[in-house]
Amino acid sequence: MTVKEALCVLPQYILPQHSLSVLLSKLTHSENPAVKKLFIEQIIKHYGVDMSEALQQDLSQFTSFNDFFTRELKPGARRWPDALGAVACPADGAVSQAGAITDGTIFQAKGKSFTATALLGGCSERAAPFQNGQFTTIYLAPKDYHRLHMPITGTLKEMVHVPGRLFSVNTVTTANVPGLFARNERVCCLFDTAVGPMALVLVGAIFVSSIETVWHGVVTPPTIRSVRQWSYGSDAPTLTIGAEMGRFNMGSTIIVLFGKDAVQWQDGFSAGKTVRLGEQIGRLL
């Protein structure tokens, strides 16, 4: 770890991560015209947000900064693959990693890894279907669209809210905090699909004020001390490829898990690649 990296990473261990996130949540949900205007204009200017894709382009019509941040896209702003058996990208962002889950272990960065069991709340039975499967980790930057969509069609079976820290998920922190994605607070959504189990893991981060899903609404907050779990039976929703499944109120990371011999990633789908919601990133086997 360089001195510059240390100055970025080490203070995060002692920061009151959840308290800071709660404070930012109050600011980003403020409907005060001056507050929301300042936040929105600065983010657009600093990150180069492309508002031409947004359904609502009149900034004054957003009720808060968070309303702007989770803005809806215009119809047709993203295209979904027509190819039979295509796997679509679930989010705008950049690929942090993609590859094989080797003996239950998922690569993070720079020699750091974590287990599927730890990621999915410490339950080995929940993680077993993903043994020697495939994964991808996609990071959403502040300029990106922050709704998450289904990469393939699936029927929801279980949702798990796992408590944890709120480290940043930027490149520097990911490279230097061991087991980062299995340490941060997260919401794990497990689906049955045509090729077996699929997990979509929505990872929280510092200043991510909440995570929500379309079937449940806001999952976090509240901050919790133990794992919460919901099972879905005969009333389980089936979401088709491209359907919205959740959103981040402020940005973070989504991790997608498939089982063995379920999918193959596209050539060139690897760390550092910029991706857009809906583009084909793989195919079903």
Side-chain angles (χ1 to χ4, degrees), residues 13 27 90 116 127 145-147 151 181 185 224 253:
Y13 283 90
L27 290 173
Y145 170 69
H146 275 80
R147 300 188 186 194
F181 299 117
E185 184 172 20
I224 55 172
T253 292

Side-chain angles (χ1 to χ4, degrees), residues 51-245:
M51 289 301 295
S52 68
E53 297 181 327
L55 181 64
Q56 175 59 262
Q57 297 188 24
D58 182 352
L59 301 184
S60 68
Q61 294 303 303
F62 292 109
T63 58
S64 65
F65 173 78
N66 190 72
D67 188 32
F68 154 78
F69 200 79
T70 57
R71 61 195 174 276
E72 187 176 358
L73 294 176
K74 287 178 181 176
R78 297 289 185 276
R79 295 179 60 87
W80 298 92
D82 297 323
L84 185 65
V87 179
C89 189
D92 282 353
V95 179
S96 177
Q97 297 294 338
I101 303 169
T102 306
D103 295 327
T105 299
I106 299 170
F107 180 65
Q108 180 176 300
K110 283 190 175 180
K112 295 176 176 60
S113 301
F114 53 92
T115 66
T117 296
L119 180 69
L120 298 176
C123 177
S124 57
E125 183 179 351
R126 189 178 293 133
F130 303 105
Q131 182 82 353
N132 298 318
Q134 295 287 323
F135 82 97
T136 183
T137 304
I138 297 174
Y139 167 70
L140 289 75
K143 66 179 178 60
D144 292 321
Y145 170 69
H146 275 80
R147 300 188 186 194
L148 307 165
H149 293 247
M150 294 291 287
I152 62 173
T153 296
T155 299
L156 181 68
K157 290 303 176 185
E158 186 180 21
M159 181 172 74
V160 186
H161 177 197
V162 186
R165 300 293 302 274
L166 290 175
F167 287 101
S168 170
V169 291
N170 62 27
T171 303
V172 172
T173 309
T174 300
N176 288 285
V177 175
L180 172 63
F181 299 117
R183 296 174 72 168
N184 273 14
E185 184 172 20
R186 55 207 178 275
V187 176
C188 310
C189 307
L190 292 102
F191 294 85
D192 276 347
T193 77
V195 290
M198 173 184 71
L200 302 180
V201 182
L202 284 58
V203 183
I206 193 164
F207 302 139
V208 176
S209 55
S210 78
I211 297 170
E212 59 185 277
T213 64
V214 297
W215 58 85
H216 183 93
V218 174
V219 182
T220 172
T223 297
I224 55 172
R225 293 186 178 275
S226 59
V227 173
R228 294 192 295 166
Q229 181 266 345
W230 295 262
S231 295
Y232 301 89
S234 58
D235 60 344
T238 294
L239 302 179
T240 58
I241 182 173
E244 182 183 345
M245 60 78 56

